[in-house]
Amino acid sequence: MAPNDFDGGSFHPGKPGLKKLLGELEADIMQLVWAHEADAVTVREIHERLQETRRIAYTTVMTVMGNLAKKGLLSVEPVGKAYAYRPTQSYEQFTEGAVSRIVEELLKDFTNPAIASFTRAMDQQRP
């Protein structure tokens, strides 16, 4: 999957924030990676941060970060015996691309109801 090619398969409308677009652990990991801005991070660093709020196996974090790399959300580079990960795009780029893809798909399959819902939502946003 290319960095801006959100497939919509993980869309969860009832979840908060980024968890609407990614799995729960994926979202937590990506938030931590984005928080490091341009610095690369290791699985160990992310695992240690996650351990502050939950019990989680190192191998689980390693697997999910590998999956995020396969999805094109993280790039991977070898650093000694470990791997360093960086986001392939900013949080803003990811969310804008994901929302655009979701809207496009809704309009493609449900044009009239989608437009009616967007119009109602926009009207409700006006002061």
Side-chain angles (χ1 to χ4, degrees):
M1 180 186 311
N4 286 322
D5 192 18
F6 176 74
D7 68 6
S10 298
F11 185 65
H12 306 284
K15 300 272 182 162
L18 193 58
K19 293 174 183 169
K20 284 178 173 44
L21 305 173
L22 297 169
E24 203 154 318
L25 184 54
E26 289 178 328
D28 290 344
I29 288 172
M30 286 305 300
Q31 290 285 24
L32 292 171
V33 172
W34 278 316
H36 280 83
E37 296 181 11
D39 295 334
V41 295
T42 64
V43 171
R44 182 162 312 285
E45 291 170 310
I46 297 300
H47 178 254
E48 287 172 2
R49 290 292 312 279
L50 289 169
Q51 283 282 97
E52 294 171 8
T53 59
R54 67 171 77 149
R55 290 179 53 113
I56 187 165
Y58 177 89
T59 54
T60 300
V61 177
M62 182 173 59
T63 298
V64 173
M65 290 180 75
N67 290 341
L68 289 166
K70 288 177 189 169
K71 291 179 179 184
L73 294 173
L74 295 176
S75 66
V76 185
E77 58 191 65
V79 177
K81 293 182 180 181
Y83 291 96
Y85 294 82
R86 293 180 196 276
T88 58
Q89 57 192 320
S90 70
Y91 171 82
E92 292 77 15
Q93 290 168 322
F94 171 74
T95 55
E96 184 177 325
V99 170
S100 291
R101 180 68 190 268
I102 291 165
V103 169
E104 288 170 13
E105 290 296 319
L106 285 172
L107 289 171
K108 182 174 78 174
D109 293 334
F110 307 105
T111 304
N112 291 333
I115 290 172
S117 291
F118 293 143
T119 302
R120 264 192 312 279
M122 294 300 293
D123 288 344
Q124 291 172 355
Q125 294 295 317
R126 293 190 181 124

